[in-house]
């Protein structure tokens, strides 16, 4: 199969390679029920040595700079309570944690969650966190520009490998809220 974006040696529909994914991601793909069919989610093997963005796009395709997104875990705090959420924004932007995210979570203060919390709560590797397979009770804040793309490169739950996902599929994930201006 040829990848819908990028220049990858091998591309496989995610349902056909569940062993390559972390348990929460594999479970989410296995039980997928969105309007976008699960076999349109594509897994591509990538080399962790080429993880730096500049090297990654040089090796796998320059169009990936405009079609990749980062998923980050944030912690919103109010009155001694902490609420975790995930944010998905284009890689060329930064998540507006102290504006859009803080307001959306109704928090007094918001910040990126510590690495141990992000990996411990998601069951995914740091640097590979993806919106597919997150805890179902978390809000997933998605920048509207991500949803508008035909395909988006995101983590696969591991540092080795990525998922290519139709942008509109992110709006259908549990807890998804599509927001303008999340990525600035």
């Amino acid at each position: 199969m040829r990848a819908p974006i990028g220049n990858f040696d091998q591309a496989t529909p995610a349902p056909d390679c569940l062993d390559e994914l972390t348990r929460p991601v594999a479970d989410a793909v296995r039980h997928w029920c969105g309007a976008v069919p699960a076999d349109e989610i594509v897994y591509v093997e990538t080399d962790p040595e080429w993880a730096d963005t500049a090297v990654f796009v040089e090796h796998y395709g320059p169009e990936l700079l405009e079609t990749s997104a980062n998923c980050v875990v944030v912690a919103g705090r109010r009155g001694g309570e902490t609420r975790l959420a995930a944010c998905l924004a284009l890689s060329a932007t930064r998540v507006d944690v102290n504006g859009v995210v803080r307001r959306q979570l109704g928090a007094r203060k918001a910040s990126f969650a510590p690495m141990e919390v992000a990996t411990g709560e998601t069951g995914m590797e740091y640097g590979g966190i993806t919106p597919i397979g997150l805890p179902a009770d978390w809000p997933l804040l998605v920048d509207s520009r991500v949803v508008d793309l035909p395909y988006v490169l995101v983590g696969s739950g591991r540092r080795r490998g990525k998922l290519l996902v139709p942008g509109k599929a992110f709006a259908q994930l549990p807890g998804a809220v599509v927001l303008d201006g999340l990525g600035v």
Side-chain angles (χ1 to χ4, degrees), residues 96-120:
D96 184 8
V97 174
N98 289 310
V100 174
V101 173
R102 184 183 57 73
R103 285 189 300 274
Q104 185 66 33
L105 295 179
R108 272 181 90 62
K109 183 177 180 186
S111 60
F112 294 105
M115 179 177 66
E116 313 79 51
V117 172
T119 57

Side-chain angles (χ1 to χ4, degrees), residues 101-177:
V101 173
R102 184 183 57 73
R103 285 189 300 274
Q104 185 66 33
L105 295 179
R108 272 181 90 62
K109 183 177 180 186
S111 60
F112 294 105
M115 179 177 66
E116 313 79 51
V117 172
T119 57
E121 294 291 325
T122 63
M124 300 178 200
E125 294 177 7
Y126 192 74
I129 294 175
T130 185
I132 297 173
L134 291 170
D137 60 338
W138 283 17
L140 169 60
L141 310 181
V142 182
D143 188 275
S144 60
R145 291 174 288 182
V146 171
V147 176
D148 291 338
L149 291 172
Y151 267 89
V152 180
L153 175 97
V154 294
S156 67
R158 299 174 44 217
R159 285 194 51 82
R160 174 178 290 282
K162 300 284 186 186
L163 294 175
L164 307 175
V165 182
K168 61 186 174 186
F170 296 114
Q172 301 167 6
L173 291 173
V177 178

Side-chain angles (χ1 to χ4, degrees), residues 5-55:
I5 57 174
N7 303 314
F8 299 96
D9 293 334
Q10 187 175 356
T12 309
D16 295 343
C17 59
L18 297 175
D19 291 344
E20 299 296 327
L21 306 171
T22 60
R23 195 179 99 247
V25 179
D27 287 347
V29 171
R30 188 177 293 112
H31 302 293
W32 188 262
C33 60
V36 172
D39 62 359
E40 287 186 26
I41 300 168
V42 177
Y43 174 79
V44 292
E45 187 78 21
T46 58
D47 189 328
E49 289 185 32
W50 296 327
D52 175 71
T53 302
V55 176

Side-chain angles (χ1 to χ4, degrees), residues 53 68-72 87-93 95 129 131 153-154 162:
T53 302
S68 64
N70 291 326
C71 184
V72 296
C87 300
L88 184 67
L90 295 175
S91 298
T93 66
V95 173
I129 294 175
L153 175 97
V154 294
K162 300 284 186 186

